[in-house]
């Protein structure tokens, strides 16, 4: 399970690591790992190492030291390495000395004739070693001048730990900043790596020995902050699979209140998401219910709440209007889990906030602002978490990076590979998917671990514990499959829903 940590915790851990190990060891480990990534990029993209071009842009902190030490390693491998020092008098002394000993070259200033990678016809790699975890705000002065000019497309950009000018905790950019092809994360992933993947590019993780510190396993860091993303293996393991003793009831029954004369399609799309995500049963309730059977004959329908049979979880809101407001309130008055989406956030906000039973809301930024009474702002994780704690609801804040914040202060993210899901109705499909998983309540797989002389059977969390991140993960994969990948074509929400089973099969096949 990938964890993403805030800058303050990482810097605290770095201090412990430095005390634990011999002086300079963590930096040289980081630099060696960085050099290996650069060498791999040279081989993969430029056909070799010896004589190939690498330009280091070096600031004043430890990131600059990492870059200089890496430059020394690269120079000894025969790479043509040049360094542009932004503040020569404040450069990392040991790294600078190592680079000089290796015979590296220097670019004294930003030349009027153009930057070296702009003038050189040979392709190469620009290494961003300007600022690290202490950096806040946009690039300034000479760094801003350098990276405000686009690096020619024939070159690659490798960032040390994070792209300079991108906030390490929020991923926000409010001025000149680096856009990397590859970011080499030192020790652990930081929050920026999840929250702004477009700026970070491909991620490479370098082990610098955090496990040797007094903090022990890095999972300790998660307790006071940071967030996680589900791995492919976890997604596959948590997804429910019917067993020989299951039937339509034991697999979970989800109730849906969605659609209206104004927005009839929203109910059909929500039901499609629920149907594709479960082998159990989907009940649709309300005045629009009977019209949906023509689209999905598998649905079980009823016109009012009282005649509805057994339900394990509810989805309310997609395409709803004033005609079903009383029905929404009846659902929210139960002690069952509820996914409240779209119109429900506008029609019955007070009934949603502070509800005792498990409640999950799925706003996009504008719906968030209307529901919370304040904008999301630059720190999307903090905004979602604050609302979750304040209203005692789980908040799924939609976006290319989906944030799932729980009242317990656990935060998970899902990073979409593409943006094909940005189409009308896709959120209706997602809410149905979440509701179906929430209805399962199924325990996850068992594992057996040694405990002294015996063995302990440990039960994984229930599928419903991870309903929101599981649904978000499958939803984004289904969108990519429906579009045909990065070079695909626009899709509709109906087409996305049709590819949910294929997305589930793909995840399960990759985990074997």
């Amino acid at each position: 399970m990938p964890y993403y940590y805030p800058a303050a915790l990482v810097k605290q851990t770095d201090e412990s690591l430095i005390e634990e190990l011999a002086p300079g060891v963590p930096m040289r480990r980081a630099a060696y790992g960085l050099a290996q990534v650069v060498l791999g990029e040279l081989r993969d993209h430029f056909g070799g190492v010896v004589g190939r071009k690498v330009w280091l842009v070096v600031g004043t902190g430890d990131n600059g030291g990492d870059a200089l030490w890496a430059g020394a390693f690269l120079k000894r491998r025969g790479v043509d390495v040049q360094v542009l020092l932004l503040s020569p008098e404040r450069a990392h002394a040991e790294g600078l000395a190592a680079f000089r000993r290796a015979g590296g070259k220097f670019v004294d200033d930003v030349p009027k004739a153009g930057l070296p990678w702009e003038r050189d016809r040979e392709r190469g790699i620009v290494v961003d070693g300007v600022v690290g975890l202490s950096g806040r705000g946009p690039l300034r002065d000479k760094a801003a001048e350098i990276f405000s000019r686009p690096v020619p497309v024939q070159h690659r950009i490798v960032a040390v730990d994070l792209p300079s000018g991108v906030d390490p905790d929020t991923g926000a950019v409010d001025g000149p900043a680096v856009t990397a092809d590859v970011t080499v994360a030192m020790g652990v992933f930081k929050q920026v790596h999840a929250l702004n993947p477009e700026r970070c590019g491909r991620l490479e993780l370098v082990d610098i020995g955090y496990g040797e510190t007094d903090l022990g396993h890095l999972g300790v860091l998660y307790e006071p902050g940071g967030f996680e993303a589900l791995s492919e293996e976890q997604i596959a393991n948590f997804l429910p699979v019917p067993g020989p003793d299951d039937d339509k009831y034991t697999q979970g029954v989800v109730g849906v209140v969605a659609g209206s004369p104004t927005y009839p399609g929203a109910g059909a799309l929500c039901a499609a998401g629920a149907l594709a995500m479960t082998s159990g049963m989907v009940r649709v309730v309300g005045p629009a219910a009977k019209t949906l059977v023509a689209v999905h004959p598998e649905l079980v329908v009823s016109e009012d709440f009282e005649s509805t049979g057994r339900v394990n979880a509810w989805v309310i809101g997609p395409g709803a209007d004033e005609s079903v407001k009383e029905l929404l309130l009846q659902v929210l008055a139960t002690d069952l889990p509820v996914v409240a989406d779209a119109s429900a956030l506008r029609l019955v906000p007070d009934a949603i906030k502070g509800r005792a039973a498990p409640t999950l809301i799925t706003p996009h930024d504008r719906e968030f602002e209307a529901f919370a009474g304040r904008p999301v702002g630059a720190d999307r994780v903090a905004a979602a978490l604050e609302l979750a704690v304040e209203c005692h609801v789980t908040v799924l804040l939609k976006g290319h990076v989906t944030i799932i914040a729980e009242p317990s202060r656990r935060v998970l993210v899902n990073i979409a590979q593409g943006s094909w899901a940005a189409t009308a109705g896709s959120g209706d499909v997602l809410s149905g998917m979440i509701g179906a998983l929430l209805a399962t309540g199924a325990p996850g797989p068992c594992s057996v671990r040694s405990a002294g002389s015996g063995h302990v059977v440990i039960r994984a969390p229930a599928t419903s514990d991870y309903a929101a991140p599981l649904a978000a993960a499958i939803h984004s994969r289904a969108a990519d499959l429906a579009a045909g990948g990065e070079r695909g074509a626009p899709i509709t929400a109906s087409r996305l829903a049709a590819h949910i089973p294929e997305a589930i099969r793909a995840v399960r096949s990759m985990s074997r």
Side-chain angles (χ1 to χ4, degrees):
M1 177 183 294
Y3 283 85
Y4 301 89
Y5 301 101
L9 282 174
V10 177
K11 287 190 284 187
Q12 177 185 336
T13 308
D14 284 344
E15 293 172 3
S16 299
L17 185 65
I18 291 169
E19 293 177 3
E20 182 78 17
L21 301 177
V25 170
M27 179 170 286
R28 286 194 287 278
R29 286 177 175 174
Y32 180 78
L34 172 61
Q36 296 307 305
V37 172
V38 173
L39 290 170
E41 288 291 297
L42 290 173
R43 295 188 191 99
D44 292 345
H45 295 276
F46 308 125
V49 169
V50 176
R52 300 299 181 186
K53 298 282 188 178
V54 171
W55 300 278
L56 311 178
V57 185
V58 174
T60 60
D62 286 346
N63 272 32
D66 293 343
L68 288 166
W69 275 103
F73 291 139
L74 293 168
K75 183 64 181 174
R76 294 190 182 99
R77 290 294 304 272
V79 180
D80 182 1
V81 188
Q82 299 180 38
V83 169
L84 196 162
L85 297 174
L86 299 180
S87 298
E89 70 284 356
R90 297 170 58 202
H92 191 275
E94 291 83 1
L96 190 59
F99 185 72
R100 284 197 171 108
R101 288 195 300 271
K105 303 174 186 176
F106 291 86
V107 177
D108 293 332
D109 205 340
V110 181
K112 294 181 179 178
L115 294 161
W117 51 85
E118 294 173 333
R119 303 192 312 268
D120 204 310
R121 293 183 178 180
E122 189 174 348
R123 298 181 302 156
I125 294 175
V126 178
V127 175
D128 161 29
V130 179
V131 296
L133 293 181
S134 298
R136 290 293 188 276
L139 293 174
R140 301 171 182 86
D141 304 324
K142 195 182 294 185
E145 180 184 352
I146 290 170
F147 286 107
S148 292
R149 299 152 70 162
V151 173
V153 294
Q154 68 267 27
H155 302 314
R156 303 270 297 169
I157 300 178
V158 175
V160 181
D161 214 16
L162 76 164
S164 296
V166 184
D167 190 278
D169 286 335
T170 68
V173 174
D174 58 1
V178 173
T179 299
D181 296 293
V182 183
T183 294
V184 183
M186 302 306 177
V188 292
F189 292 121
K190 288 74 179 179
Q191 293 186 173
V192 61
H193 298 142
L195 298 177
N196 201 334
E198 295 87 353
R199 289 280 183 170
C200 294
R202 191 182 82 246
L203 295 176
E204 295 284 351
L205 185 64
V206 172
D207 180 8
I208 61 174
Y210 279 159
E212 299 168 31
T213 70
D214 292 337
L215 292 176
H217 189 273
L218 282 175
V220 173
L221 279 178
Y222 177 66
E223 294 301 326
F227 48 78
E228 59 186 305
L230 297 182
S231 66
E232 296 288 338
E233 182 178 5
Q234 286 174 311
I235 295 169
N237 287 341
F238 288 151
L239 287 170
V241 177
D245 297 325
D246 274 320
D247 59 34
K248 60 189 176 184
Y249 294 110
T250 62
Q251 293 183 81
V253 180
V254 59
V256 175
V257 181
S260 66
T262 308
Y263 303 106
L269 291 169
C270 182
L275 287 166
M277 202 71 214
T278 179
S279 299
M281 180 189 295
V282 180
R283 298 184 186 273
V284 180
V285 187
K290 287 186 177 180
T291 63
L292 298 182
V293 178
V295 182
H296 302 295
E298 305 89 346
L299 296 174
V300 178
V301 304
S302 57
E303 293 189 5
D304 54 60
F305 183 78
E306 290 74 17
S307 60
T308 303
R310 171 180 172 180
V311 170
N312 300 108
W314 286 93
V315 182
I316 62 173
D321 61 15
E322 290 285 346
S323 67
V324 294
K325 185 173 179 178
E326 184 59 35
L327 182 53
L328 300 181
L329 292 172
Q330 287 178 299
V331 170
L332 290 167
T334 70
D335 59 358
L336 293 173
V338 171
V339 180
D341 183 30
S343 297
L345 304 180
R346 172 180 54 83
L347 291 169
V348 289
D350 293 338
I352 294 171
K353 296 174 181 178
R355 189 169 176 266
T359 309
L360 187 146
I361 65 173
T362 61
H364 53 57
D365 284 22
R366 293 182 299 280
E367 290 169 338
F368 181 101
E369 183 171 358
F371 184 83
R374 56 183 179 272
V376 173
D379 193 338
R380 297 175 62 79
V381 172
L385 190 55
E386 182 181 0
L387 185 62
V389 174
E390 175 186 322
C391 297
H392 196 69
V393 298
T394 295
V395 178
L396 183 146
L397 183 57
K398 298 173 186 174
H400 180 75
V401 178
T402 297
I403 313 290
I404 300 109
E406 301 178 353
S408 64
R409 306 191 71 85
R410 183 178 72 163
V411 179
L412 299 102
V413 299
N414 180 70
I415 307 167
Q417 297 301 307
S419 297
W420 296 112
T423 184
S426 69
D428 302 331
V429 175
L430 176 61
S431 62
M433 296 169 68
I434 298 170
L437 290 173
L438 204 57
T440 65
C446 290
S447 61
V448 180
R449 299 181 187 173
S450 296
S453 59
H455 293 85
V456 178
V457 177
I458 298 176
R459 175 70 69 180
T463 294
S464 55
D465 293 339
Y466 286 97
L470 282 172
I474 298 300
H475 185 268
S476 61
R477 285 160 176 78
D480 287 348
L481 288 169
E486 184 180 350
R487 297 181 180 274
I491 62 170
T492 63
S494 296
R495 184 166 173 80
L496 186 159
H499 280 75
I500 292 171
E502 184 181 352
I504 293 172
R505 282 192 293 270
V507 168
R508 288 200 172 119
S509 65
M510 285 189 291
S511 70
R512 291 174 183 170

